Amino acid sequence: MKPVIAVSGLRKTYGSGETAVHALRGVDLRVWPGEYVAIMGASGSGKSTLLNMLGCLDTPTSGRYLLDGFSVADLNERQLALLRNRKIGFIFQSFNLVPRTSALSNVELPMVYSGLKRGERRRRALAALEMVGLTDRAKHLPNELSGGQQQRVAVARALVGGPALLLADEPTGNLDHASTVDVLGVFDRLNALGRTVVVITHEDEVAHHARRVVRVSDGRIVSDEVRTGVVA
């Protein structure tokens, strides 16, 4: 079995000389299919830079990154965009839904340019909404949904292409407690179904749902703990 994420000696430096900022200082990380990992760190720790690397949103200064077996360093911008679209389902703090478009159409968006016929796109989008418990809200606009429901639509959109990795950046940062519990419950269920989930967070409540917690400080991984007694 190959890892979904295989990072070796990953470094990222911004600038040069005395003003250089070493955001990552030789990170090694493996994430295996079906894992639920929380990556934690304070502001300036390097976790956001690591997120950008794992999401193929930026390229490392040195080191190697294999995403589901594909070497990221060997790809140009167009190839990186294709890899992101096929292999990663992104979930952001701000939801990033199209305001005047229904929940169903928002979930369909990643498939619009994939060549799938409309009926198949609709079928897959409805199946993704069912997985997050929002079939009855398929025709609602984002402003007709609660924050938690909007994030669940975003999760469905991330799921619809069958990615190897769900990558969430502070996914509960804009949610109240009840909505946070709701969204984290969705992540728990998806992971129980075998989905690989990596969450970037600074919140202990979020990390407590993960089965593994990786802590980053000063551009390095300082601890990597497999947890017991995980919230389910």
Side-chain angles (χ1 to χ4, degrees):
M1 181 172 62
K2 65 185 176 184
V4 176
I5 291 171
V7 167
S8 303
L10 207 65
R11 295 179 181 272
K12 183 64 178 181
T13 302
Y14 297 99
S16 59
E18 294 182 0
T19 61
V21 175
H22 301 284
L24 294 178
R25 301 169 182 262
V27 170
D28 298 318
L29 179 66
R30 299 285 186 278
V31 175
W32 298 92
E35 281 200 288
Y36 187 168
V37 181
I39 298 177
M40 302 191 73
S43 177
S45 64
K47 75 176 188 300
S48 294
T49 302
L50 183 56
L51 164 73
N52 288 337
M53 300 297 143
L54 299 181
C56 301
L57 300 171
D58 197 358
T59 54
T61 303
S62 63
R64 194 179 190 207
Y65 175 26
L66 299 181
L67 172 59
D68 202 30
F70 291 88
S71 177
V72 172
D74 299 334
L75 305 180
N76 59 34
E77 285 298 323
R78 180 178 175 278
Q79 291 169 328
L80 279 174
L82 286 172
L83 188 67
R84 283 194 299 268
N85 187 53
R86 293 173 181 173
K87 296 294 183 179
I88 305 173
F90 288 99
I91 301 152
F92 298 102
Q93 179 176 337
S94 55
F95 318 143
N96 290 356
L97 301 180
V98 180
R100 297 181 180 179
T101 302
S102 71
L104 181 61
S105 294
N106 265 285
V107 176
E108 284 187 80
L109 279 176
M111 300 181 288
V112 168
Y113 301 106
S114 66
L116 287 175
K117 294 182 178 180
R118 184 178 180 183
E120 178 62 13
R121 295 201 308 266
R122 184 62 50 94
R123 185 191 68 78
R124 293 188 185 190
L126 284 170
L129 284 171
E130 183 176 6
M131 290 183 75
V132 300
L134 282 180
T135 305
D136 61 338
R137 295 290 188 270
K139 296 182 179 179
H140 286 62
L141 299 178
N143 64 4
E144 298 171 326
L145 303 172
S146 69
Q149 289 171 334
Q150 289 184 61
Q151 190 61 296
R152 284 156 61 192
V153 172
V155 172
R157 182 182 58 195
L159 282 171
V160 76
L165 170 67
L166 288 177
L167 185 59
D169 181 18
E170 301 284 0
T172 62
N174 286 338
L175 303 180
D176 59 27
H177 177 70
S179 295
T180 292
V181 170
D182 191 21
V183 169
L184 292 177
V186 171
F187 286 157
D188 292 342
R189 293 194 297 275
L190 292 173
N191 180 246
L193 291 171
R195 298 281 183 169
T196 306
V197 181
V198 174
V199 178
I200 311 295
T201 185
H202 67 276
E203 299 181 55
D204 288 334
E205 180 181 4
V206 176
H208 284 166
H209 284 251
R211 299 180 183 277
R212 179 179 164 200
V213 178
V214 175
R215 296 185 186 274
V216 179
S217 179
D218 195 27
R220 298 182 176 91
I221 290 177
V222 295
S223 69
D224 188 342
E225 174 191 2
V226 177
R227 301 184 60 247
T228 58
V230 177
V231 175

